[in-house]
Amino acid sequence: MKKESFYSLHAEMCKTLSNPRRQAILDTIRSDEMTVSELIENTGISQANLSQHLAILRSKGVVKTRRDGNNIYYSLSNTKIIKAYDLISEVLEDSTNSRGKAIREGIGK
């Protein structure tokens, strides 16, 4: 695969994960599968909006589904997705802490 193609696929995955509501969905199903009703309850996202985001996540292969009777359960397709999410969260936390420290040190001068 040419690097250019890989970069395009990488960018598409990053775009998929860049939406705050989709991040909330991923964070909510990080360790357990959930139905749409459970996701609505846990995220506060409306059913119509949640369905749109779940469709995007499914089409990009980020989440998978399992049917049990009338219920459809959503879960992560690959646990590495949440590891990437957590790693970015750690980078943000480090960055925020560094900026806060720099601001505090600047005020003390």
Side-chain angles (χ1 to χ4, degrees):
M1 178 184 285
K2 291 182 180 179
K3 285 236 181 215
E4 193 96 6
S5 296
F6 175 79
Y7 294 150
S8 292
L9 289 172
H10 196 283
E12 283 301 312
M13 179 61 78
C14 288
K15 281 189 228 175
T16 300
L17 302 178
S18 70
N19 183 283
R21 292 186 188 249
R22 291 195 282 270
Q23 289 175 26
I25 293 165
L26 296 178
D27 195 33
T28 303
I29 62 171
R30 70 173 33 246
S31 59
D32 200 12
E33 63 182 11
M34 290 191 182
T35 64
V36 170
S37 298
E38 291 169 324
L39 281 165
I40 291 168
E41 185 178 317
N42 285 286
T43 63
I45 301 170
S46 71
Q47 184 171 355
N49 197 243
L50 182 66
S51 293
Q52 290 174 335
H53 288 295
L54 287 170
I56 291 167
L57 290 169
R58 263 184 91 179
S59 72
K60 299 298 182 179
V62 175
V63 298
K64 61 184 179 180
T65 59
R66 178 181 68 83
R67 183 177 284 279
D68 185 11
N70 290 333
N71 291 318
I72 298 175
Y73 291 88
Y74 289 84
S75 61
L76 295 173
S77 62
N78 187 322
T79 56
K80 290 179 183 176
I81 291 166
I82 208 66
K83 288 179 185 178
Y85 173 89
D86 289 342
L87 186 58
I88 292 168
S89 297
E90 288 175 25
V91 169
L92 284 171
E93 188 176 306
D94 290 348
S95 175
T96 302
N97 289 340
S98 294
R99 273 189 264 155
K101 182 179 178 190
I103 291 168
R104 286 190 301 278
E105 288 174 355
I107 291 171
K109 291 183 178 179

